Amino acid sequence: MKGKYGIVDIGSNTIRLVIYQQDKSGRLKEIENVKAVARLRNFLLENGELSEDGINVLIDTLKSFQEVTRFHQLRNVKCVATATIRQAINQKEIIQIVQKETDFQIRILSEYEEAYYGFLAVVNSTSIHDGFTIDIGGGSTEITYFQNRNLKHFHSFPFGVLSLKKQFVKGNTPTETELKALKQFLQKQFAKLPWLKGKKLPIIAIGGSARNLVQMDQARKQYPLKNLHQYQMDLKDIVNVKNYLTSLSFDKLKQVEGLSKDRADIIIPAIEVFLQLYETVEATAFILSRKGLRDGIFYEELLKDIGSPIFTNVVEESFQQLAIDYEVDLKHAFQVTNIVYMLFRQLKDQQIGEWTDVDVQLLRTGALFYNLGQYIDPESSSQHTFYLLANRTIDGMFHKEQVELALIASFKNSSLFKQYVEPFQQWFSKEEQRKLRFLGALIKFAYHLNATKRDIVENIHVKVDEKGTIHVNIYCNQNWQPEQYQVEKQKKHLIKVLKREVKLHFLPINTKMMQLI
């Protein structure tokens, strides 16, 4: 697949056109996102027909989208419809009218397909192996249960935020009595699925209602990042947002930061669905996925040639895209990674520092993307490195993990480290910050051991003498003077973290390994 691709998603609440551009890494990057709040569900009559007014709203919306797709010269735009069109008894007539009046041909997704594509989006954009997905639309709610990244169960409930509001809420916001009735209804519905009860797994939520819930929580907490994908909340967080919203008048509700005005009258019923599912599952976390049904459809098509619609390793796939996007010199990066791993093994053997498997993986990744920001500006590379790695969506990584990576890959000195970590003080203990400074200093040291990119370092040996001084033997296959000059300046960062003297000894590779006294 090359070039631009478009998809029209005809939902029960909103109709959306998204246009993607395939970038140099092969990833589809969103370049246009046009939304219309059509609320087609409200045009579904008692007899199951989508009314003439509803069809007119659909056609008018699609014609407005058509102008955009024609401008971009898109051909064969995918056009999918979910619950409202699926439930309409006159769906064949709707399909014919759309085909006659517009450039689009509707594909009506089955309940399974709608659930499956949401699941596919989640497992291809997170590293979660076991959990539940939920996608609340206007007219249906899809829930899946997956184990080891394989779909085990799915169910499509014939209710969504619009139908729940119509059934239980008379005004713009629910009363206590209406919320109680809604709660009881949802508990009975979820109780029908024995595979939900007490699984104690995370819930990964898809769609606009979940996104608005997360945005409101971030605004209330003054969250230091703008990332939404893989943002985590717990039961208390959801309850706090709900209690805050139910305390407001409708006029005040529409002004809440993070809440779209067009969702103000349906957000509280949506949050009640999340709450009741959370309690039924006894969930460990509520996590947002920015990737949803539309992404799932493209994942299926993009990955069909490899025999499986699921990435083998989501994080590695993201890192590959990152390396391509920012033109990482992989030969140099791999040498830095090798050097830092040699240092790690020697320090571990000498019992210098306490190391975990997570530290080792972080070292490797930090070495791979150290100084990434030079792609933008070599003079302010550290600042750009931190911003890019902390704020770019990296599928498969939680926000704290991204900030850890950003802190070590951007390490320049203790002063800048303190500046970068300041908004995240509550995330990291002093001991964690010290460890991150150590990892950053180690990577910077390794980076400058390949300063001329000649790959001259062949081996490293570390020994501690009786005074506690750390001696580092660095065995090289070529003249090491440029590297020696650089690392002698960098070792001060290691000394500050370790609080021990460090002495460097550069030696030719054919020198017999010496035991330092």
Side-chain angles (χ1 to χ4, degrees):
M1 296 178 66
K2 295 180 180 179
K4 295 178 183 177
Y5 304 89
I7 184 168
V8 175
D9 180 1
I10 303 172
S12 300
N13 183 42
T14 62
I15 305 175
R16 195 180 292 266
L17 164 67
V18 181
I19 299 175
Y20 300 89
Q21 174 81 54
Q22 191 170 30
D23 62 21
K24 55 189 174 183
S25 71
R27 180 169 55 102
L28 292 180
K29 182 180 180 181
E30 187 179 297
I31 60 171
E32 294 284 353
N33 192 320
V34 185
K35 167 186 168 183
V37 183
R39 296 204 165 180
L40 292 181
R41 179 71 192 190
N42 291 342
F43 295 99
L44 204 59
L45 304 175
E46 293 286 337
N47 65 358
E49 282 189 350
L50 185 67
S51 70
E52 185 177 345
D53 287 342
I55 294 174
N56 289 336
V57 168
L58 173 62
I59 296 300
D60 288 345
T61 303
L62 293 180
K63 283 184 175 179
S64 69
F65 288 177
Q66 182 175 276
E67 293 186 22
V68 180
T69 58
R70 286 180 177 180
F71 173 79
H72 284 275
Q73 298 181 341
L74 296 179
R75 299 289 183 267
N76 301 318
V77 175
K78 294 180 184 296
C79 182
V80 298
T82 53
T84 293
I85 307 298
R86 182 170 64 234
Q87 294 165 7
I89 62 172
N90 57 337
Q91 60 176 247
K92 289 184 179 179
E93 177 190 347
I94 296 168
I95 291 172
Q96 290 172 353
I97 293 173
V98 167
Q99 189 171 356
K100 179 182 177 181
E101 298 289 332
T102 74
D103 294 343
F104 308 118
Q105 185 166 345
I106 294 178
R107 171 190 170 191
I108 299 177
L109 299 182
S110 67
E111 293 177 351
Y112 167 76
E113 287 175 320
E114 188 172 359
Y116 172 73
Y117 287 131
F119 150 78
L120 203 58
V122 166
V123 295
N124 276 327
S125 64
T126 74
S127 292
I128 300 167
H129 283 249
D130 305 287
F132 296 89
T133 69
I134 179 169
D135 185 359
I136 306 178
S140 68
T141 297
E142 281 64 45
I143 295 177
T144 74
Y145 171 38
F146 61 95
Q147 286 180 309
N148 198 27
R149 304 179 74 215
N150 291 310
L151 181 62
K152 292 297 182 182
H153 297 286
F154 85 95
H155 188 79
S156 179
F157 289 100
F159 60 77
V161 285
L162 292 178
S163 56
L164 288 175
K165 180 183 183 301
K166 184 176 181 180
Q167 183 177 348
F168 291 97
V169 184
K170 292 182 179 179
N172 286 321
T173 57
T175 64
E176 284 188 27
T177 302
E178 289 171 338
L179 265 181
K180 184 178 180 181
L182 174 58
K183 176 181 177 180
Q184 291 173 344
F185 170 78
L186 293 170
Q187 288 173 340
K188 289 179 181 178
Q189 293 296 311
F190 292 148
K192 294 177 181 178
L193 302 181
W195 44 269
L196 286 179
K197 186 67 176 175
K199 284 295 192 294
K200 295 182 173 60
L201 291 170
I203 294 169
I204 302 91
I206 299 164
S209 294
R211 186 169 59 250
N212 274 227
L213 171 59
V214 160
Q215 289 171 170
M216 289 186 288
D217 191 57
Q218 287 187 343
R220 283 170 57 78
K221 293 177 178 176
Q222 296 184 312
Y223 194 67
L225 296 176
K226 294 300 181 184
N227 289 359
L228 296 176
H229 185 58
Q230 290 197 193
Y231 180 80
Q232 298 184 72
M233 299 173 66
D234 59 23
L235 183 62
K236 183 180 177 181
D237 294 326
I238 302 173
V239 170
N240 285 343
V241 174
K242 174 193 166 184
N243 289 342
Y244 173 63
L245 297 182
T246 53
S247 72
L248 301 175
S249 67
F250 186 61
D251 286 339
K252 292 287 186 183
L253 186 63
K254 289 188 291 185
Q255 298 173 26
V256 171
E257 187 176 352
L259 177 62
S260 302
K261 286 184 179 180
D262 57 76
R263 288 189 182 272
D265 62 332
I266 56 175
I267 191 63
I268 295 174
I271 292 175
E272 193 63 47
V273 176
F274 296 140
L275 272 176
Q276 296 314 312
L277 180 62
Y278 197 111
E279 294 189 336
T280 300
V281 171
E282 298 176 31
T284 56
F286 178 89
I287 301 168
L288 177 71
S289 171
R290 283 298 305 270
K291 307 289 177 69
L293 180 145
R294 294 181 296 274
D295 304 277
I297 291 172
F298 278 116
Y299 280 132
E300 181 181 61
E301 186 159 339
L302 285 169
L303 300 177
K304 63 185 179 183
D305 292 336
I306 67 171
S308 171
I310 297 176
F311 288 130
T312 303
N313 188 309
V314 173
V315 175
E316 291 298 328
E317 185 70 24
S318 295
F319 288 163
Q320 185 179 21
Q321 292 172 355
L322 193 64
I324 293 171
D325 287 348
Y326 294 102
E327 299 178 1
V328 172
D329 182 343
L330 291 178
K331 182 175 179 292
H332 173 54
F334 289 150
Q335 174 66 1
V336 174
T337 303
N338 288 335
I339 293 171
V340 87
Y341 190 62
M342 285 190 279
L343 282 166
F344 149 72
R345 284 186 302 174
Q346 289 290 309
L347 293 171
K348 186 179 180 181
D349 288 346
Q350 294 295 314
Q351 298 182 333
I352 300 171
E354 296 180 3
W355 301 90
T356 67
D357 292 341
V358 174
D359 295 333
V360 178
Q361 183 57 47
L362 193 54
L363 263 179
R364 286 175 168 169
T365 310
L368 185 62
F369 295 114
Y370 185 79
N371 214 24
L372 180 78
Q374 67 181 338
Y375 174 85
I376 296 175
D377 182 10
E379 292 297 317
S380 53
S381 174
S382 173
Q383 290 91 331
H384 289 302
T385 299
F386 180 79
Y387 182 84
L388 287 171
L389 291 175
N391 290 278
R392 173 181 167 127
T393 295
I394 302 179
D395 290 346
M397 294 190 79
F398 287 106
H399 294 185
K400 185 177 179 180
E401 294 171 328
Q402 278 194 232
V403 174
E404 288 173 339
L405 173 59
L407 285 168
I408 67 170
S410 65
F411 185 84
K412 185 175 183 180
N413 54 52
S414 295
S415 177
L416 274 178
F417 179 91
K418 290 177 183 178
Q419 178 183 322
Y420 298 154
V421 82
E422 178 59 33
F424 309 96
Q425 287 291 339
Q426 294 182 339
W427 292 22
F428 304 105
S429 67
K430 290 194 179 298
E431 179 57 32
E432 287 176 317
Q433 291 183 41
R434 192 194 73 81
K435 171 67 77 68
L436 291 169
R437 282 203 315 276
F438 180 27
L439 298 180
L442 205 60
I443 292 171
K444 187 181 184 188
F445 184 83
Y447 183 86
H448 284 89
L449 274 174
N450 199 40
T452 60
K453 299 184 179 181
R454 292 177 296 148
D455 299 353
I456 69 169
V457 176
E458 293 279 354
N459 207 344
I460 293 174
H461 182 257
V462 174
K463 187 164 179 68
V464 181
D465 67 20
E466 70 277 4
K467 295 180 181 179
T469 299
I470 301 171
H471 294 268
V472 184
N473 272 15
I474 303 162
Y475 296 89
C476 304
N477 58 30
Q478 296 181 50
N479 182 284
W480 54 76
Q481 190 172 351
E483 278 74 15
Q484 184 178 21
Y485 174 77
Q486 290 291 339
V487 296
E488 285 290 351
K489 294 193 302 181
Q490 303 307 324
K491 74 176 185 181
K492 64 185 178 183
H493 300 298
L494 290 175
I495 293 171
K496 283 182 181 179
V497 178
L498 294 172
K499 297 180 180 178
R500 298 163 79 169
E501 184 59 37
V502 176
K503 291 189 176 180
L504 308 180
H505 308 276
F506 282 81
L507 301 162
I509 188 61
N510 58 2
T511 302
K512 184 179 179 182
M513 188 74 75
M514 59 194 310
Q515 297 296 319
L516 294 170
I517 299 175

